[in-house]
């Protein structure tokens, strides 16, 4: 058992939003050996055939063993390793489970990481990945019709079938998030050209406060209401000079500048690259705070 608990991060969002891709890139920036990933698809309670037989989508909580997941989250937070189940998207069935160690960062990504309050309370940061419908559908078709063995018509039919479950079991997590990251299409031919909007609760606007400290950037947040809660929204739709981004990242956390250096050496930073750097720097800052707290307690208490 570790004496210093991991930083727990939950990344919620619909299928095809880009969660796994985001996590892979964050892990690279933080150091793969410092990150453990929990893919929530492993906690499906029914395989593909069984879901079809009872006519339920993977988004319904009943198609998932969220009790086991919450138990694992609790154990990881305490610094214990867990035997996590694995879902195989090639076969539509389960593989052998694998052990997950509580490394300095544990990132949980999937459909329901903080649907239930008892889970939501355990995270250090809850991110809702709210990719614009146009990108999400394009990306899901591209992926499911190549890597997951579906036809385009099957993917479109599945998306239509899932709408009620998305509204009821995935989107409610929007209002629980510490930050909502919305990717949106730009009028740009390049397939990777996406804009990024950060929405933060008005009572805890971490990014807005950091941006306000940088004279090179003028911040004009827009107000937004999600699930009865006020959010402030900050939008990035243009490339930013790397020198400005560097000043910003240095304000964000202990390794902000170094993280940016790992992402690009170009003179300009694209919005998605900036978002990655901001998120990784925020996680480094949380890790540092947690280490300082445990240092103060003599590094022996698991919180
Ligand atoms: N920022 C991005 N720019 C371009 N393409 C992207 C981006 N993020 C993700 N994609 C593409 O979208 C597809 C879906 O992404 P990913 O598998 O990460 O989604 P997901 O949210 O983890 O989905 P699921 O929950 O269904 O597993 C991938 O094939 C990936 O190539
Ligand atoms: O919503 C999803 C999250 O990835 C998938 O559709 C779900 O995991 C089921 O996967 P598959 O379609 O490969 O059986």
């Amino acid at each position: 058992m570790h004496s210093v608990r991991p930083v727990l991060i939950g990344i919620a969002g619909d299928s095809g939003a880009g969660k796994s891709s985001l996590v892979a890139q964050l892990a690279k920036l933080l150091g793969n050996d410092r990150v453990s990933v929990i893919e929530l698809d492993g906690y499906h309670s029914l395989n593909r055939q069984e879901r079809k037989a009872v006519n339920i989508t993977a988004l319904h909580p009943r198609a998932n063993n969220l009790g086991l997941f919450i138990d694992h989250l609790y154990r990881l937070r305490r610094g214990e390793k867990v035997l996590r189940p694995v879902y195989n998207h090639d076969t539509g069935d389960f593989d052998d489970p694998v052990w997950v160690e509580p490394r300095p960062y544990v990132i949980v990504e999937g459909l329901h990481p903080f649907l239930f309050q008892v889970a939501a309370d355990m995270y250090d940061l809850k991110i809702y990945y709210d990719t614009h419908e146009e990108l999400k559908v394009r990306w899901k078709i591209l992926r499911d019709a190549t890597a997951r063995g579906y036809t385009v018509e099957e993917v479109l039919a599945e998306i239509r079938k899932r709408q009620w479950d998305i509204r009821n079991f995935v989107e409610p997590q929007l209002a629980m998030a510490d930050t909502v990251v919305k990717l949106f299409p730009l009028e740009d031919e390049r397939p990777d050209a996406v804009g990024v909007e950060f929405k933060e609760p008005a009572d805890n606007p971490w990014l807005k406060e950091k941006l306000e400290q940088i004279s090179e950037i003028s911040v004009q947040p827009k107000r937004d209401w999600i699930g009865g809660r006020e959010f402030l929204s900050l939008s990035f739709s243009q490339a930013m000079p790397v020198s400005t981004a560097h000043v910003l990242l240095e304000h964000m956390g202990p390794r902000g500048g170094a993280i940016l250096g790992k992402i690009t050496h170009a003179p300009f930073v694209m919005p998605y690259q900036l978002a990655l750097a901001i998120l990784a720097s925020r996680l480094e800052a949380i890790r540092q705070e947690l280490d300082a707290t445990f240092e103060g307690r003599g590094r022996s208490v698991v919180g």
Side-chain angles (χ1 to χ4, degrees):
M1 187 187 284
H2 282 229
S3 58
V4 180
R5 72 164 177 85
V7 171
L8 283 193
I9 304 115
I11 304 184
D14 191 12
S15 177
K19 302 177 297 294
S20 320
S21 310
L22 174 78
V23 170
Q25 296 181 71
L26 284 177
K28 230 160 108 183
L29 294 173
L30 297 167
N32 281 310
D33 56 340
R34 298 171 74 215
V35 178
S36 295
V37 179
I38 294 279
E39 288 155 9
L40 272 177
D41 289 356
Y43 295 81
H44 291 330
S45 53
L46 305 174
N47 67 21
R48 194 180 291 162
Q49 234 180 357
E50 290 163 343
R51 283 195 307 270
K52 209 169 168 185
V54 295
N55 194 23
I56 193 171
T57 84
L59 281 74
H60 199 291
R62 276 184 14 231
N64 294 277
N65 193 345
L66 294 176
L68 178 67
F69 158 62
I70 290 167
D71 178 62
H72 284 180
L73 193 62
Y74 175 75
R75 288 175 188 282
L76 286 162
R77 197 174 192 279
R78 286 180 51 80
E80 295 172 30
K81 65 179 186 176
V82 300
L83 190 58
R84 110 174 142 76
V86 176
Y87 184 77
N88 182 330
H89 288 282
D90 292 334
T91 61
D93 213 338
F94 299 94
D95 285 346
D96 290 339
V98 295
W99 284 104
V100 178
E101 300 283 341
R103 295 189 180 146
Y105 299 94
V106 172
I107 307 184
V108 180
E109 65 91 0
L111 301 165
H112 314 105
F114 41 91
L115 180 62
F116 294 113
Q117 190 70 49
V118 63
D121 288 343
M122 283 191 257
Y123 293 101
D124 297 286
L125 189 69
K126 298 183 291 301
I127 301 169
Y128 190 97
Y129 209 52
D130 186 28
T131 300
H132 190 285
E133 198 67 19
E134 191 182 315
L135 292 174
K136 200 170 63 181
V137 171
R138 190 197 310 158
W139 291 346
K140 186 167 169 64
I141 291 173
L142 266 176
R143 187 205 51 199
D144 287 3
T146 49
R148 294 192 182 175
Y150 291 95
T151 64
V152 172
E153 290 68 33
E154 282 171 332
V155 183
L156 288 170
E158 179 68 17
I159 291 173
R160 277 194 296 275
K161 187 173 158 192
R162 288 171 167 222
Q163 292 309 308
W164 193 88
D165 287 348
I166 293 173
R167 301 285 104 73
N168 285 280
F169 304 123
V170 180
E171 288 181 355
Q173 293 168 107
L174 269 165
M176 310 278 277
D178 301 306
T179 183
V180 175
V181 178
K182 185 172 185 102
L183 304 188
F184 56 90
L186 294 175
E187 284 182 21
D188 188 318
E189 296 294 292
R190 288 168 292 182
D192 60 345
V194 296
V196 183
E197 197 176 351
F198 280 89
K199 299 181 192 190
E200 310 187 290
D203 56 3
N204 186 20
W206 184 88
L207 179 58
K208 174 180 161 279
E209 282 172 5
K210 297 282 178 197
L211 287 169
E212 280 170 352
Q213 295 165 18
I214 319 289
S215 57
E216 289 92 333
I217 298 175
S218 92
V219 198
Q220 276 150 351
K222 286 196 195 130
R223 277 154 54 99
D224 201 351
W225 292 87
I226 305 174
R229 196 170 169 211
E230 187 183 2
F231 279 69
L232 298 174
S233 168
L234 299 151
S235 188
F236 300 92
S237 55
Q238 284 170 355
M240 180 183 279
V242 79
S243 52
T244 309
H246 197 269
V247 177
L248 172 62
L249 268 303
E250 288 279 291
H251 268 77
M252 300 248 158
R255 292 188 53 245
I259 286 170
L260 185 63
K262 279 190 179 183
I263 293 178
T264 185
H265 294 294
F268 289 94
V269 184
M270 297 303 288
Y272 183 71
Q273 294 176 314
L274 185 68
L276 278 175
I278 289 172
L279 290 172
S281 305
R282 184 165 184 184
L283 297 183
E284 287 276 11
I286 295 173
R287 180 69 268 168
Q288 195 183 46
E289 263 175 49
L290 205 57
D291 286 342
T293 309
F294 278 87
E295 208 61 63
R297 292 191 204 162
R299 301 185 78 84
S300 59
V301 184
V302 173

